[in-house]
Amino acid sequence: MKRVGNLYETAFTLDALYEAYLAARHQKRAGRACHEFERRLGSNLQALHLELADGSYRPRPYYSFVVKEPKPRTIHAPAFRDLVVQHAIYRVAGPILDRTFIDQSFACRKGLGTHAASDYAQEALRQSPTGSYTLKLDIRKFFYRIDRGILRRLIERRIKDARLVDLMMRFADHGEEKGIPIGSLVSQLYALLYLNPLDHFVKRELGVKHYCRYVDDFVLFGLSRERALECRARIVAFLAGLGLELSKSTIARTTRGLNFVGYRTWAGKRFVRRRALFNFRRSLASWDLPAVASYLGHAKRTHSERVMRSQATAAGLRP
């Protein structure tokens, strides 16, 4: 695929920055930082535009905090003005990089997501031969182990505008020797890109017909046990070239179903995980209506949905 250049000026015109601001505002409308930026919107956008044009722009340090659900992670949140710049980058670089991704890479892409990934997984289970196996794998501390030198080379395969690439890499740096910041908008794009070579390796080199990935969790379907062992060994070797290693892997008969993207899925039925049911009931008890609505949305088109809606009705809600 031809590399694309001359993107920097297009990405950071005043009009482009305004559109990026609207996207950032939609994401952070209730935040104080958003309101502060809006108070002097014109001058703030003009200042960003001038800094980006003369090369003096530098992202501010990330604001870091720890979340404990579903497991402890350090989140790095950008300043609102930097979020605007990230949205501007995403608007230009995102479509260029997205064209290289396979259709079965489901995370953080328009029109896809966990429901689409789960739908695909269920259909793949239905099409798997009788007596076949699934191979489910995930990567150990994926975001923390990304090699930024490799990441830059992957970006440069598609984008030849050095100024834009330099700026993109500034957002990848969070003060550690390796890894990219969790919580940054462009990190979602970097995560998709970094494992894109793996997707093509599995589809082209290994020749696996049914395969899907959601961030660092991925599944191969319809394999014999011997083939699953062979694929796992070759994937381990391929990941080593990216500086990555597996956290765990599971080889299981197709009839045992699959635990993937928040669902327990079989060919003929699908349930949300027990942890989601527990959190849903806790949200009902505390009358946390946004959380209740979120869990009901997660349960859509599953066998858990009817039970959860009846529990909500019994609690006095009309979902």
Side-chain angles (χ1 to χ4, degrees):
M1 184 177 293
K2 185 178 179 181
R3 298 170 68 215
V4 182
N6 301 318
L7 296 171
Y8 192 91
E9 291 81 3
T10 302
F12 304 122
T13 64
L14 276 173
D15 286 344
L17 287 172
Y18 179 72
E19 292 297 324
Y21 148 74
L22 292 177
R25 183 183 69 172
H26 179 74
Q27 183 178 350
K28 299 288 185 180
R29 187 63 187 265
R32 178 180 176 181
C34 176
H35 293 312
E36 289 295 324
F37 192 89
E38 286 181 323
R39 287 178 59 191
R40 302 179 62 208
L41 179 60
S43 60
N44 283 329
L45 289 177
Q46 183 68 34
L48 271 181
H49 173 66
L50 292 175
E51 290 176 28
L52 288 160
D54 65 21
S56 63
Y57 170 82
R58 294 293 183 273
R60 294 172 181 172
Y62 285 105
Y63 168 67
S64 300
F65 58 95
V66 176
V67 297
K68 297 182 179 180
E69 292 288 345
K71 55 186 178 181
R73 295 179 299 163
T74 300
I75 304 299
H76 295 82
F80 186 81
R81 73 193 300 267
D82 298 328
L83 181 61
V84 171
V85 176
Q86 289 195 22
H87 273 282
I89 292 172
Y90 212 113
R91 287 168 57 86
V92 169
I96 295 170
L97 299 178
D98 191 83
R99 289 195 291 269
T100 71
F101 302 153
I102 67 171
D103 292 341
Q104 295 77 36
S105 176
F106 286 97
C108 306
R109 298 176 69 190
K110 187 175 181 180
L112 300 178
T114 55
H115 283 106
S118 185
D119 289 345
Y120 178 90
Q122 187 168 46
E123 184 60 29
L125 289 172
R126 290 169 179 161
Q127 296 188 28
S128 295
T130 302
S132 65
Y133 291 77
T134 59
L135 171 61
K136 183 178 181 293
L137 312 107
D138 64 78
I139 295 171
R140 184 184 306 277
K141 296 184 176 180
F142 171 53
F143 279 85
Y144 302 101
R145 291 172 177 256
I146 287 177
D147 185 312
R148 292 195 292 271
I150 295 175
L151 174 62
R152 183 182 185 104
R153 290 193 290 274
L154 290 171
I155 294 173
E156 289 175 335
R157 287 182 184 177
R158 304 303 176 211
I159 297 174
K160 63 180 180 181
D161 189 319
R163 284 203 297 169
L164 183 61
V165 175
D166 287 344
L167 180 54
M168 292 174 72
M169 294 309 301
R170 288 195 185 101
F171 285 116
D173 189 350
H174 62 301
E176 301 293 335
E177 181 181 354
K178 283 190 174 183
I180 60 175
I182 300 174
S184 170
L185 172 69
V186 289
S187 288
Q188 300 173 8
L189 186 62
Y190 300 159
L192 284 166
L193 178 64
Y194 201 81
L195 287 181
N196 188 44
L198 170 69
D199 297 337
H200 289 279
F201 172 75
V202 172
K203 296 293 290 182
R204 296 180 181 182
E205 299 297 323
L206 298 185
V208 176
K209 181 178 180 181
H210 295 297
Y211 161 84
C212 63
R213 177 170 67 86
Y214 195 93
V215 191
D216 59 341
D217 291 340
F218 48 106
V219 189
L220 290 68
F221 299 86
L223 308 175
S224 67
R225 182 169 179 80
E226 294 75 16
R227 177 73 168 136
L229 290 168
E230 175 198 354
C231 287
R232 182 172 64 184
R234 294 185 66 183
I235 287 171
V236 167
F238 186 87
L239 289 174
L242 295 172
L244 303 173
E245 61 182 30
L246 293 179
S247 170
K248 58 184 177 181
S249 64
T250 303
I251 298 174
R253 289 189 178 275
T254 300
T255 51
R256 287 184 55 188
L258 180 68
N259 199 348
F260 183 57
V261 294
Y263 301 95
R264 186 67 174 149
T265 304
W266 287 264
K269 55 188 176 181
R270 181 171 21 176
F271 300 89
V272 300
R273 289 176 178 170
R274 291 181 181 177
R275 182 68 180 178
L277 285 174
F278 172 80
N279 289 336
F280 170 73
R281 294 181 188 124
R282 187 170 61 180
S283 299
L284 270 179
S286 63
W287 212 248
D288 185 348
L289 300 185
V292 168
S294 177
Y295 285 116
L296 286 173
H298 177 65
K300 189 176 180 180
R301 300 198 310 273
T302 72
H303 284 65
S304 305
E305 182 180 14
R306 180 178 297 178
V307 173
M308 293 169 67
R309 288 190 176 277
S310 67
Q311 291 173 348
T313 301
L317 299 179
R318 293 185 176 181

